Amino acid sequence: MRNTFLNLLIISFAFIGLTLISLGLIPTLQNDISHSSQSNFLISKSDSTKILNIEFKLLNQEISKDIIDSINVLQNQFAKDYLTAVYDKRNKSFDKSFNTLIAYLKNKPKHFKFYEELVTVSNLSGKSDLLKKQISEVKDSSDIYLKYLKALISYNQNKYADVISLLNGNEDIESLLLLSYAHRGKGDFNYALVILESLKKKLNTDSKSLDKILISQGSLYFLSGDYEKAKQFYHAGLNEAVKNQNSREQAKANINLGIIDDQNGEFDLARSKYKAALKLAEDIEDIDSVSYTHLTLPTSDSVDLGGRSIIKKKKKKKESKR
């Protein structure tokens, strides 16, 4: 019974990988919080580095028991509340996390990740409508961060044209990455690749975002039917994610590589990669992957991926000693 359940989890994980390829996880690129103005939580460079390190661990790694102590000693109240909200999300306290973050919306924090987390917990807590109402009450709708927030909501609703309209002309890394996802959703894979190539030139040498971009490029080649090139980029992204100790991106890369193995009839290899991805996702309580893994099961022989239909190959019977 246990093996049957595990097999169902692994099969559904493959389909979640296909969904990730099509839609992408919401971008989690490194920000410099120290760019905030005084009215929007000015943080020193040293504090910024410390805060970003804690944020990275909360989002991408198995966290240690003393992580909350690291948060509590921070001097900046916004950073402390924001990181606590992310911690609460990992502990599935979605309402608490949402209430903490929404209280800061009127201040328009100059940190892109804040808005990504706000959208995520609004969905998880069933408060998307409340978030939209609060957005309508915030002044200065032309603010780049509010535009990003609206674009995230539109993206989650598959309104790719709205995302493009909101973000066109923006040059920040987070907006450009989301813009590439929107073009991918519309089926314009070539232009999405152009955006991702330009993004790589914007990264600092110590950036921890290259793995995400490489994996996204691999997904575009996969959708274009170039599986070999997709595999190259997935491997490059996986290696970068291992170097960065980014479990989230390692899981994504393993899922996507497993899908290619599956397409090529290498079912045992695919299964091992899905198992590795499941373990990584569970270790970091990756809600996006783990919850879907447990709840989503395949229902058809094809999946629509950003304008391109992928037909599942029928598995051939293979000789087995078991």
mmCIF file with all atom_site columns, all heavy atoms in Angstrom, residues 204-226:
data_model
loop_
_atom_site.group_PDB
_atom_site.id
_atom_site.type_symbol
_atom_site.label_atom_id
_atom_site.label_alt_id
_atom_site.label_comp_id
_atom_site.label_asym_id
_atom_site.label_entity_id
_atom_site.label_seq_id
_atom_site.pdbx_PDB_ins_code
_atom_site.Cartn_x
_atom_site.Cartn_y
_atom_site.Cartn_z
_atom_site.occupancy
_atom_site.B_iso_or_equiv
_atom_site.pdbx_formal_charge
_atom_site.auth_seq_id
_atom_site.auth_comp_id
_atom_site.auth_asym_id
_atom_site.auth_atom_id
_atom_site.pdbx_PDB_model_num
ATOM 1   N N   . ASN A 1 204 ? 24.977 40.135 -10.784 1.00 0.00 ? 204 ASN A N   1
ATOM 2   C CA  . ASN A 1 204 ? 26.281 40.310 -10.158 1.00 0.00 ? 204 ASN A CA  1
ATOM 3   C C   . ASN A 1 204 ? 27.015 38.978 -10.139 1.00 0.00 ? 204 ASN A C   1
ATOM 4   O O   . ASN A 1 204 ? 26.397 37.907 -10.231 1.00 0.00 ? 204 ASN A O   1
ATOM 5   C CB  . ASN A 1 204 ? 26.118 40.824 -8.720  1.00 0.00 ? 204 ASN A CB  1
ATOM 6   C CG  . ASN A 1 204 ? 25.438 42.174 -8.664  1.00 0.00 ? 204 ASN A CG  1
ATOM 7   O OD1 . ASN A 1 204 ? 25.661 43.017 -9.541  1.00 0.00 ? 204 ASN A OD1 1
ATOM 8   N ND2 . ASN A 1 204 ? 24.624 42.395 -7.650  1.00 0.00 ? 204 ASN A ND2 1
ATOM 9   N N   . THR A 1 205 ? 28.314 39.037 -9.993  1.00 0.00 ? 205 THR A N   1
ATOM 10  C CA  . THR A 1 205 ? 29.116 37.806 -10.017 1.00 0.00 ? 205 THR A CA  1
ATOM 11  C C   . THR A 1 205 ? 28.760 36.875 -8.864  1.00 0.00 ? 205 THR A C   1
ATOM 12  O O   . THR A 1 205 ? 28.918 35.654 -8.973  1.00 0.00 ? 205 THR A O   1
ATOM 13  C CB  . THR A 1 205 ? 30.622 38.139 -9.955  1.00 0.00 ? 205 THR A CB  1
ATOM 14  O OG1 . THR A 1 205 ? 30.868 38.964 -8.800  1.00 0.00 ? 205 THR A OG1 1
ATOM 15  C CG2 . THR A 1 205 ? 31.060 38.863 -11.211 1.00 0.00 ? 205 THR A CG2 1
ATOM 16  N N   . ASP A 1 206 ? 28.271 37.455 -7.756  1.00 0.00 ? 206 ASP A N   1
ATOM 17  C CA  . ASP A 1 206 ? 27.923 36.634 -6.590  1.00 0.00 ? 206 ASP A CA  1
ATOM 18  C C   . ASP A 1 206 ? 26.418 36.366 -6.503  1.00 0.00 ? 206 ASP A C   1
ATOM 19  O O   . ASP A 1 206 ? 25.907 35.934 -5.471  1.00 0.00 ? 206 ASP A O   1
ATOM 20  C CB  . ASP A 1 206 ? 28.403 37.302 -5.303  1.00 0.00 ? 206 ASP A CB  1
ATOM 21  C CG  . ASP A 1 206 ? 27.767 38.676 -5.086  1.00 0.00 ? 206 ASP A CG  1
ATOM 22  O OD1 . ASP A 1 206 ? 27.174 39.216 -6.056  1.00 0.00 ? 206 ASP A OD1 1
ATOM 23  O OD2 . ASP A 1 206 ? 27.856 39.208 -3.963  1.00 0.00 ? 206 ASP A OD2 1
ATOM 24  N N   . SER A 1 207 ? 25.705 36.613 -7.589  1.00 0.00 ? 207 SER A N   1
ATOM 25  C CA  . SER A 1 207 ? 24.253 36.424 -7.586  1.00 0.00 ? 207 SER A CA  1
ATOM 26  C C   . SER A 1 207 ? 23.898 34.949 -7.406  1.00 0.00 ? 207 SER A C   1
ATOM 27  O O   . SER A 1 207 ? 24.579 34.061 -7.908  1.00 0.00 ? 207 SER A O   1
ATOM 28  C CB  . SER A 1 207 ? 23.648 36.934 -8.897  1.00 0.00 ? 207 SER A CB  1
ATOM 29  O OG  . SER A 1 207 ? 22.281 36.597 -8.971  1.00 0.00 ? 207 SER A OG  1
ATOM 30  N N   . LYS A 1 208 ? 22.802 34.726 -6.692  1.00 0.00 ? 208 LYS A N   1
ATOM 31  C CA  . LYS A 1 208 ? 22.302 33.367 -6.504  1.00 0.00 ? 208 LYS A CA  1
ATOM 32  C C   . LYS A 1 208 ? 21.068 33.110 -7.369  1.00 0.00 ? 208 LYS A C   1
ATOM 33  O O   . LYS A 1 208 ? 20.252 32.239 -7.064  1.00 0.00 ? 208 LYS A O   1
ATOM 34  C CB  . LYS A 1 208 ? 21.961 33.139 -5.035  1.00 0.00 ? 208 LYS A CB  1
ATOM 35  C CG  . LYS A 1 208 ? 23.177 33.143 -4.115  1.00 0.00 ? 208 LYS A CG  1
ATOM 36  C CD  . LYS A 1 208 ? 22.788 32.851 -2.676  1.00 0.00 ? 208 LYS A CD  1
ATOM 37  C CE  . LYS A 1 208 ? 24.011 32.808 -1.769  1.00 0.00 ? 208 LYS A CE  1
ATOM 38  N NZ  . LYS A 1 208 ? 23.655 32.519 -0.360  1.00 0.00 ? 208 LYS A NZ  1
ATOM 39  N N   . SER A 1 209 ? 20.959 33.864 -8.462  1.00 0.00 ? 209 SER A N   1
ATOM 40  C CA  . SER A 1 209 ? 19.769 33.769 -9.310  1.00 0.00 ? 209 SER A CA  1
ATOM 41  C C   . SER A 1 209 ? 20.019 33.097 -10.645 1.00 0.00 ? 209 SER A C   1
ATOM 42  O O   . SER A 1 209 ? 19.083 32.872 -11.409 1.00 0.00 ? 209 SER A O   1
ATOM 43  C CB  . SER A 1 209 ? 19.202 35.171 -9.557  1.00 0.00 ? 209 SER A CB  1
ATOM 44  O OG  . SER A 1 209 ? 18.872 35.802 -8.347  1.00 0.00 ? 209 SER A OG  1
ATOM 45  N N   . LEU A 1 210 ? 21.270 32.782 -10.942 1.00 0.00 ? 210 LEU A N   1
ATOM 46  C CA  . LEU A 1 210 ? 21.583 32.207 -12.247 1.00 0.00 ? 210 LEU A CA  1
ATOM 47  C C   . LEU A 1 210 ? 20.916 30.850 -12.429 1.00 0.00 ? 210 LEU A C   1
ATOM 48  O O   . LEU A 1 210 ? 20.479 30.511 -13.535 1.00 0.00 ? 210 LEU A O   1
ATOM 49  C CB  . LEU A 1 210 ? 23.103 32.083 -12.421 1.00 0.00 ? 210 LEU A CB  1
ATOM 50  C CG  . LEU A 1 210 ? 23.584 31.513 -13.759 1.00 0.00 ? 210 LEU A CG  1
ATOM 51  C CD1 . LEU A 1 210 ? 23.084 32.369 -14.928 1.00 0.00 ? 210 LEU A CD1 1
ATOM 52  C CD2 . LEU A 1 210 ? 25.120 31.422 -13.774 1.00 0.00 ? 210 LEU A CD2 1
ATOM 53  N N   . ASP A 1 211 ? 20.817 30.054 -11.356 1.00 0.00 ? 211 ASP A N   1
ATOM 54  C CA  . ASP A 1 211 ? 20.195 28.731 -11.475 1.00 0.00 ? 211 ASP A CA  1
ATOM 55  C C   . ASP A 1 211 ? 18.765 28.840 -11.978 1.00 0.00 ? 211 ASP A C   1
ATOM 56  O O   . ASP A 1 211 ? 18.344 28.100 -12.881 1.00 0.00 ? 211 ASP A O   1
ATOM 57  C CB  . ASP A 1 211 ? 20.246 27.963 -10.140 1.00 0.00 ? 211 ASP A CB  1
ATOM 58  C CG  . ASP A 1 211 ? 19.845 28.791 -8.933  1.00 0.00 ? 211 ASP A CG  1
ATOM 59  O OD1 . ASP A 1 211 ? 19.223 29.863 -9.117  1.00 0.00 ? 211 ASP A OD1 1
ATOM 60  O OD2 . ASP A 1 211 ? 20.153 28.377 -7.798  1.00 0.00 ? 211 ASP A OD2 1
ATOM 61  N N   . LYS A 1 212 ? 18.004 29.779 -11.442 1.00 0.00 ? 212 LYS A N   1
ATOM 62  C CA  . LYS A 1 212 ? 16.612 29.968 -11.869 1.00 0.00 ? 212 LYS A CA  1
ATOM 63  C C   . LYS A 1 212 ? 16.516 30.325 -13.341 1.00 0.00 ? 212 LYS A C   1
ATOM 64  O O   . LYS A 1 212 ? 15.668 29.801 -14.078 1.00 0.00 ? 212 LYS A O   1
ATOM 65  C CB  . LYS A 1 212 ? 15.953 31.059 -11.029 1.00 0.00 ? 212 LYS A CB  1
ATOM 66  C CG  . LYS A 1 212 ? 14.563 31.423 -11.495 1.00 0.00 ? 212 LYS A CG  1
ATOM 67  C CD  . LYS A 1 212 ? 13.956 32.503 -10.655 1.00 0.00 ? 212 LYS A CD  1
ATOM 68  C CE  . LYS A 1 212 ? 13.570 31.989 -9.309  1.00 0.00 ? 212 LYS A CE  1
ATOM 69  N NZ  . LYS A 1 212 ? 12.435 31.035 -9.373  1.00 0.00 ? 212 LYS A NZ  1
ATOM 70  N N   . ILE A 1 213 ? 17.407 31.210 -13.799 1.00 0.00 ? 213 ILE A N   1
ATOM 71  C CA  . ILE A 1 213 ? 17.370 31.643 -15.198 1.00 0.00 ? 213 ILE A CA  1
ATOM 72  C C   . ILE A 1 213 ? 17.745 30.497 -16.133 1.00 0.00 ? 213 ILE A C   1
ATOM 73  O O   . ILE A 1 213 ? 17.118 30.284 -17.170 1.00 0.00 ? 213 ILE A O   1
ATOM 74  C CB  . ILE A 1 213 ? 18.298 32.855 -15.401 1.00 0.00 ? 213 ILE A CB  1
ATOM 75  C CG1 . ILE A 1 213 ? 17.748 34.063 -14.633 1.00 0.00 ? 213 ILE A CG1 1
ATOM 76  C CG2 . ILE A 1 213 ? 18.439 33.200 -16.884 1.00 0.00 ? 213 ILE A CG2 1
ATOM 77  C CD1 . ILE A 1 213 ? 18.641 35.286 -14.662 1.00 0.00 ? 213 ILE A CD1 1
ATOM 78  N N   . LEU A 1 214 ? 18.776 29.740 -15.767 1.00 0.00 ? 214 LEU A N   1
ATOM 79  C CA  . LEU A 1 214 ? 19.204 28.607 -16.600 1.00 0.00 ? 214 LEU A CA  1
ATOM 80  C C   . LEU A 1 214 ? 18.090 27.567 -16.722 1.00 0.00 ? 214 LEU A C   1
ATOM 81  O O   . LEU A 1 214 ? 17.834 27.029 -17.808 1.00 0.00 ? 214 LEU A O   1
ATOM 82  C CB  . LEU A 1 214 ? 20.455 27.967 -16.007 1.00 0.00 ? 214 LEU A CB  1
ATOM 83  C CG  . LEU A 1 214 ? 21.747 28.785 -16.104 1.00 0.00 ? 214 LEU A CG  1
ATOM 84  C CD1 . LEU A 1 214 ? 22.839 28.163 -15.240 1.00 0.00 ? 214 LEU A CD1 1
ATOM 85  C CD2 . LEU A 1 214 ? 22.211 28.907 -17.548 1.00 0.00 ? 214 LEU A CD2 1
ATOM 86  N N   . ILE A 1 215 ? 17.421 27.283 -15.615 1.00 0.00 ? 215 ILE A N   1
ATOM 87  C CA  . ILE A 1 215 ? 16.330 26.309 -15.641 1.00 0.00 ? 215 ILE A CA  1
ATOM 88  C C   . ILE A 1 215 ? 15.166 26.830 -16.476 1.00 0.00 ? 215 ILE A C   1
ATOM 89  O O   . ILE A 1 215 ? 14.531 26.085 -17.231 1.00 0.00 ? 215 ILE A O   1
ATOM 90  C CB  . ILE A 1 215 ? 15.891 25.958 -14.211 1.00 0.00 ? 215 ILE A CB  1
ATOM 91  C CG1 . ILE A 1 215 ? 17.011 25.197 -13.491 1.00 0.00 ? 215 ILE A CG1 1
ATOM 92  C CG2 . ILE A 1 215 ? 14.607 25.121 -14.212 1.00 0.00 ? 215 ILE A CG2 1
ATOM 93  C CD1 . ILE A 1 215 ? 16.811 25.040 -12.002 1.00 0.00 ? 215 ILE A CD1 1
ATOM 94  N N   . SER A 1 216 ? 14.892 28.123 -16.376 1.00 0.00 ? 216 SER A N   1
ATOM 95  C CA  . SER A 1 216 ? 13.833 28.724 -17.192 1.00 0.00 ? 216 SER A CA  1
ATOM 96  C C   . SER A 1 216 ? 14.173 28.648 -18.678 1.00 0.00 ? 216 SER A C   1
ATOM 97  O O   . SER A 1 216 ? 13.301 28.395 -19.513 1.00 0.00 ? 216 SER A O   1
ATOM 98  C CB  . SER A 1 216 ? 13.609 30.182 -16.783 1.00 0.00 ? 216 SER A CB  1
ATOM 99  O OG  . SER A 1 216 ? 13.108 30.266 -15.463 1.00 0.00 ? 216 SER A OG  1
ATOM 100 N N   . GLN A 1 217 ? 15.449 28.860 -19.009 1.00 0.00 ? 217 GLN A N   1
ATOM 101 C CA  . GLN A 1 217 ? 15.865 28.722 -20.401 1.00 0.00 ? 217 GLN A CA  1
ATOM 102 C C   . GLN A 1 217 ? 15.679 27.283 -20.882 1.00 0.00 ? 217 GLN A C   1
ATOM 103 O O   . GLN A 1 217 ? 15.226 27.037 -22.007 1.00 0.00 ? 217 GLN A O   1
ATOM 104 C CB  . GLN A 1 217 ? 17.328 29.148 -20.559 1.00 0.00 ? 217 GLN A CB  1
ATOM 105 C CG  . GLN A 1 217 ? 17.545 30.649 -20.490 1.00 0.00 ? 217 GLN A CG  1
ATOM 106 C CD  . GLN A 1 217 ? 19.006 31.034 -20.672 1.00 0.00 ? 217 GLN A CD  1
ATOM 107 O OE1 . GLN A 1 217 ? 19.838 30.734 -19.813 1.00 0.00 ? 217 GLN A OE1 1
ATOM 108 N NE2 . GLN A 1 217 ? 19.312 31.680 -21.772 1.00 0.00 ? 217 GLN A NE2 1
ATOM 109 N N   . GLY A 1 218 ? 16.031 26.333 -20.020 1.00 0.00 ? 218 GLY A N   1
ATOM 110 C CA  . GLY A 1 218 ? 15.833 24.937 -20.367 1.00 0.00 ? 218 GLY A CA  1
ATOM 111 C C   . GLY A 1 218 ? 14.377 24.630 -20.664 1.00 0.00 ? 218 GLY A C   1
ATOM 112 O O   . GLY A 1 218 ? 14.058 23.898 -21.610 1.00 0.00 ? 218 GLY A O   1
ATOM 113 N N   . SER A 1 219 ? 13.476 25.219 -19.877 1.00 0.00 ? 219 SER A N   1
ATOM 114 C CA  . SER A 1 219 ? 12.047 24.985 -20.085 1.00 0.00 ? 219 SER A CA  1
ATOM 115 C C   . SER A 1 219 ? 11.589 25.523 -21.438 1.00 0.00 ? 219 SER A C   1
ATOM 116 O O   . SER A 1 219 ? 10.740 24.920 -22.104 1.00 0.00 ? 219 SER A O   1
ATOM 117 C CB  . SER A 1 219 ? 11.243 25.647 -18.965 1.00 0.00 ? 219 SER A CB  1
ATOM 118 O OG  . SER A 1 219 ? 11.560 25.068 -17.721 1.00 0.00 ? 219 SER A OG  1
ATOM 119 N N   . LEU A 1 220 ? 12.147 26.649 -21.845 1.00 0.00 ? 220 LEU A N   1
ATOM 120 C CA  . LEU A 1 220 ? 11.779 27.218 -23.142 1.00 0.00 ? 220 LEU A CA  1
ATOM 121 C C   . LEU A 1 220 ? 12.250 26.327 -24.289 1.00 0.00 ? 220 LEU A C   1
ATOM 122 O O   . LEU A 1 220 ? 11.534 26.142 -25.284 1.00 0.00 ? 220 LEU A O   1
ATOM 123 C CB  . LEU A 1 220 ? 12.358 28.627 -23.276 1.00 0.00 ? 220 LEU A CB  1
ATOM 124 C CG  . LEU A 1 220 ? 11.654 29.673 -22.401 1.00 0.00 ? 220 LEU A CG  1
ATOM 125 C CD1 . LEU A 1 220 ? 12.490 30.950 -22.292 1.00 0.00 ? 220 LEU A CD1 1
ATOM 126 C CD2 . LEU A 1 220 ? 10.273 30.004 -22.961 1.00 0.00 ? 220 LEU A CD2 1
ATOM 127 N N   . TYR A 1 221 ? 13.434 25.771 -24.166 1.00 0.00 ? 221 TYR A N   1
ATOM 128 C CA  . TYR A 1 221 ? 13.919 24.848 -25.199 1.00 0.00 ? 221 TYR A CA  1
ATOM 129 C C   . TYR A 1 221 ? 13.079 23.566 -25.204 1.00 0.00 ? 221 TYR A C   1
ATOM 130 O O   . TYR A 1 221 ? 12.804 22.999 -26.266 1.00 0.00 ? 221 TYR A O   1
ATOM 131 C CB  . TYR A 1 221 ? 15.394 24.528 -24.986 1.00 0.00 ? 221 TYR A CB  1
ATOM 132 C CG  . TYR A 1 221 ? 16.306 25.654 -25.420 1.00 0.00 ? 221 TYR A CG  1
ATOM 133 C CD1 . TYR A 1 221 ? 17.104 26.333 -24.500 1.00 0.00 ? 221 TYR A CD1 1
ATOM 134 C CD2 . TYR A 1 221 ? 16.362 26.056 -26.750 1.00 0.00 ? 221 TYR A CD2 1
ATOM 135 C CE1 . TYR A 1 221 ? 17.922 27.376 -24.898 1.00 0.00 ? 221 TYR A CE1 1
ATOM 136 C CE2 . TYR A 1 221 ? 17.190 27.102 -27.151 1.00 0.00 ? 221 TYR A CE2 1
ATOM 137 C CZ  . TYR A 1 221 ? 17.964 27.755 -26.219 1.00 0.00 ? 221 TYR A CZ  1
ATOM 138 O OH  . TYR A 1 221 ? 18.768 28.793 -26.616 1.00 0.00 ? 221 TYR A OH  1
ATOM 139 N N   . PHE A 1 222 ? 12.665 23.124 -24.008 1.00 0.00 ? 222 PHE A N   1
ATOM 140 C CA  . PHE A 1 222 ? 11.801 21.950 -23.930 1.00 0.00 ? 222 PHE A CA  1
ATOM 141 C C   . PHE A 1 222 ? 10.490 22.207 -24.663 1.00 0.00 ? 222 PHE A C   1
ATOM 142 O O   . PHE A 1 222 ? 10.018 21.380 -25.454 1.00 0.00 ? 222 PHE A O   1
ATOM 143 C CB  . PHE A 1 222 ? 11.529 21.599 -22.467 1.00 0.00 ? 222 PHE A CB  1
ATOM 144 C CG  . PHE A 1 222 ? 10.651 20.393 -22.279 1.00 0.00 ? 222 PHE A CG  1
ATOM 145 C CD1 . PHE A 1 222 ? 11.203 19.140 -22.139 1.00 0.00 ? 222 PHE A CD1 1
ATOM 146 C CD2 . PHE A 1 222 ? 9.265  20.516 -22.259 1.00 0.00 ? 222 PHE A CD2 1
ATOM 147 C CE1 . PHE A 1 222 ? 10.398 18.013 -21.974 1.00 0.00 ? 222 PHE A CE1 1
ATOM 148 C CE2 . PHE A 1 222 ? 8.455  19.400 -22.103 1.00 0.00 ? 222 PHE A CE2 1
ATOM 149 C CZ  . PHE A 1 222 ? 9.028  18.153 -21.959 1.00 0.00 ? 222 PHE A CZ  1
ATOM 150 N N   . LEU A 1 223 ? 9.889  23.356 -24.391 1.00 0.00 ? 223 LEU A N   1
ATOM 151 C CA  . LEU A 1 223 ? 8.621  23.698 -25.028 1.00 0.00 ? 223 LEU A CA  1
ATOM 152 C C   . LEU A 1 223 ? 8.770  23.845 -26.535 1.00 0.00 ? 223 LEU A C   1
ATOM 153 O O   . LEU A 1 223 ? 7.815  23.638 -27.286 1.00 0.00 ? 223 LEU A O   1
ATOM 154 C CB  . LEU A 1 223 ? 8.075  24.995 -24.419 1.00 0.00 ? 223 LEU A CB  1
ATOM 155 C CG  . LEU A 1 223 ? 7.577  24.871 -22.973 1.00 0.00 ? 223 LEU A CG  1
ATOM 156 C CD1 . LEU A 1 223 ? 7.363  26.243 -22.369 1.00 0.00 ? 223 LEU A CD1 1
ATOM 157 C CD2 . LEU A 1 223 ? 6.291  24.062 -22.920 1.00 0.00 ? 223 LEU A CD2 1
ATOM 158 N N   . SER A 1 224 ? 9.976  24.206 -26.979 1.00 0.00 ? 224 SER A N   1
ATOM 159 C CA  . SER A 1 224 ? 10.242 24.346 -28.406 1.00 0.00 ? 224 SER A CA  1
ATOM 160 C C   . SER A 1 224 ? 10.568 23.009 -29.061 1.00 0.00 ? 224 SER A C   1
ATOM 161 O O   . SER A 1 224 ? 10.770 22.937 -30.273 1.00 0.00 ? 224 SER A O   1
ATOM 162 C CB  . SER A 1 224 ? 11.408 25.327 -28.630 1.00 0.00 ? 224 SER A CB  1
ATOM 163 O OG  . SER A 1 224 ? 11.099 26.603 -28.086 1.00 0.00 ? 224 SER A OG  1
ATOM 164 N N   . GLY A 1 225 ? 10.659 21.957 -28.259 1.00 0.00 ? 225 GLY A N   1
ATOM 165 C CA  . GLY A 1 225 ? 10.918 20.623 -28.792 1.00 0.00 ? 225 GLY A CA  1
ATOM 166 C C   . GLY A 1 225 ? 12.379 20.231 -28.862 1.00 0.00 ? 225 GLY A C   1
ATOM 167 O O   . GLY A 1 225 ? 12.710 19.142 -29.323 1.00 0.00 ? 225 GLY A O   1
ATOM 168 N N   . ASP A 1 226 ? 13.272 21.106 -28.382 1.00 0.00 ? 226 ASP A N   1
ATOM 169 C CA  . ASP A 1 226 ? 14.702 20.809 -28.407 1.00 0.00 ? 226 ASP A CA  1
ATOM 170 C C   . ASP A 1 226 ? 15.102 20.207 -27.062 1.00 0.00 ? 226 ASP A C   1
ATOM 171 O O   . ASP A 1 226 ? 15.632 20.884 -26.183 1.00 0.00 ? 226 ASP A O   1
ATOM 172 C CB  . ASP A 1 226 ? 15.499 22.086 -28.689 1.00 0.00 ? 226 ASP A CB  1
ATOM 173 C CG  . ASP A 1 226 ? 16.971 21.814 -29.001 1.00 0.00 ? 226 ASP A CG  1
ATOM 174 O OD1 . ASP A 1 226 ? 17.454 20.716 -28.653 1.00 0.00 ? 226 ASP A OD1 1
ATOM 175 O OD2 . ASP A 1 226 ? 17.639 22.700 -29.574 1.00 0.00 ? 226 ASP A OD2 1
#
